[in-house]
Amino acid sequence: METAASARVDLPVQPVHVAIIMDGNGRWAKARGLPRTAGHKRGAEAVRRTVECAREMGISYLTLYAFSSENWKRPEGEVSDLMGLLRLYLRNEVKTLHKNGIRLRIIGDRSRLGPDIVSLIEESEAKTAANSAMTLVLALSYGGRQEIVAAARALAADVAAGRLDVAQVDEEALSARLFTADIPDPDMIIRTSGEQRISNFLLWQCAYAELVFLDVLWPDFSRDHLIAAIRDFHGRERRFGATGG
C-alpha cells in the first residue's frame, strides 16, 4: 500500500470535500455481457479503492452517491441486489473503516430502507463516530430536492410553533436543517460515465462546487482518475461570484 505522502504526489493542498456521482455500473456489465449485478459488485470494489486513496491523499470528506430516491423505481430484483450489497458493505467494511480512523455518515431518507439496514447504519455510525482521519458520507435513498423540501418543512414547523421568527429564515437557517448540517459543502463534484448532469445530488450544497465529468465507467475508476480530477480542480480559478470573468 502507498504511503500518504506518496499518494499526494505533487498535488497542491487537497480539496476538503470531494463528492462523487458513481455512474456506469450497468453499462460496464452490459459491455461485457454480464448481469447488472456484476457491475454493482465491481462498483463496490471501486468504492473501496476510492475511499482508501482519498484517505491517503488527505481529503477530509468524501461523499458517494450510492442510491438515489429515483433508484427505487428500478426493477425489484435489482433494488434487492443493491440492498444486499449495502448489507454486505455495512457488515464487512466498517471494521476496515474504523481501523483506518474513518467516520461513516449516512444521509438520505431512512424510512424506505429495511429495518435491519437502518440498524446496521446506526451501529456503524456509532462505532465510527469518534474517528477523525476522514469522514465517508454515503448518500442512500437520497434526493436533493427531497432534502430541501424536508428542511423547508422543518423551518415552517419551527415558525408555526413560535421557535423561530420569519425574519430569521435565511440560508444559514435552512442549511442547519439539511442532512449535511455539520458537513462542509463540496469543493468538487465528480461524475463518472461521461454523463454531464447533477441528477438531484446535493443541489443546495453544490452552489459553488467545481464540476468534473469523467469519461470512465465507475467500476474502472482508479487512483489515477481521482488524481486527474483533482489536478483539473486546481487548474480552475474559484471566484465564488466575487469577480467577473
Side-chain angles (χ1 to χ4, degrees), residues 110-206:
R110 300 186 187 188
S111 68
R112 301 190 69 178
L113 299 171
D116 63 319
I117 292 179
V118 174
S119 294
L120 285 170
I121 287 172
E122 292 173 349
E123 292 169 9
S124 300
E125 288 184 323
K127 182 174 184 177
T128 62
N131 294 339
S132 59
M134 185 180 82
T135 295
L136 170 63
V137 183
L138 295 183
L140 297 171
S141 188
Y142 173 87
R145 287 182 174 181
Q146 293 87 336
E147 179 184 26
I148 294 170
V149 168
R153 285 176 176 166
L155 281 172
D158 286 340
V159 170
R163 293 186 294 267
L164 188 72
D165 188 87
V166 172
Q168 296 175 297
V169 176
D170 55 14
E171 291 183 16
E172 184 177 346
L174 192 144
S175 292
R177 289 160 176 82
L178 296 174
F179 294 131
T180 57
D182 61 338
I183 299 171
D185 289 345
D187 300 293
M188 173 174 65
I189 293 180
I190 301 169
R191 180 168 187 150
T192 60
S193 85
E195 302 291 347
Q196 299 186 15
R197 55 180 178 271
I198 296 300
S199 295
N200 204 20
F201 182 49
L202 299 178
L203 295 182
W204 178 276
Q205 299 89 335
C206 77

Side-chain angles (χ1 to χ4, degrees), residues 23-170:
D23 193 17
N25 289 348
R27 273 168 281 178
W28 184 93
K30 183 178 180 180
R32 290 159 178 78
L34 299 171
R36 291 178 66 88
T37 303
H40 294 316
K41 288 180 178 177
R42 286 297 293 267
E45 295 175 13
V47 168
R48 188 179 300 113
R49 289 195 303 269
T50 303
V51 170
E52 180 180 295
C53 182
R55 181 190 178 282
E56 290 173 348
M57 294 177 70
I59 292 168
S60 297
Y61 295 85
L62 174 68
T63 297
L64 303 178
Y65 202 7
F67 191 87
S68 74
S69 300
E70 290 74 24
N71 286 159
W72 289 111
K73 300 174 184 177
R74 291 187 176 185
E76 184 178 346
E78 183 176 355
V79 171
S80 179
D81 288 338
L82 286 167
M83 291 298 109
L85 283 173
L86 174 58
R87 289 184 179 91
L88 284 175
Y89 186 86
L90 292 172
R91 288 171 180 153
N92 300 333
E93 297 294 327
V94 172
K95 289 181 181 178
T96 301
L97 295 178
H98 188 47
K99 180 181 178 181
N100 288 304
I102 298 173
R103 178 176 66 139
L104 179 65
R105 281 284 309 279
I106 307 295
I107 61 173
D109 179 9
R110 300 186 187 188
S111 68
R112 301 190 69 178
L113 299 171
D116 63 319
I117 292 179
V118 174
S119 294
L120 285 170
I121 287 172
E122 292 173 349
E123 292 169 9
S124 300
E125 288 184 323
K127 182 174 184 177
T128 62
N131 294 339
S132 59
M134 185 180 82
T135 295
L136 170 63
V137 183
L138 295 183
L140 297 171
S141 188
Y142 173 87
R145 287 182 174 181
Q146 293 87 336
E147 179 184 26
I148 294 170
V149 168
R153 285 176 176 166
L155 281 172
D158 286 340
V159 170
R163 293 186 294 267
L164 188 72
D165 188 87
V166 172
Q168 296 175 297
V169 176
D170 55 14

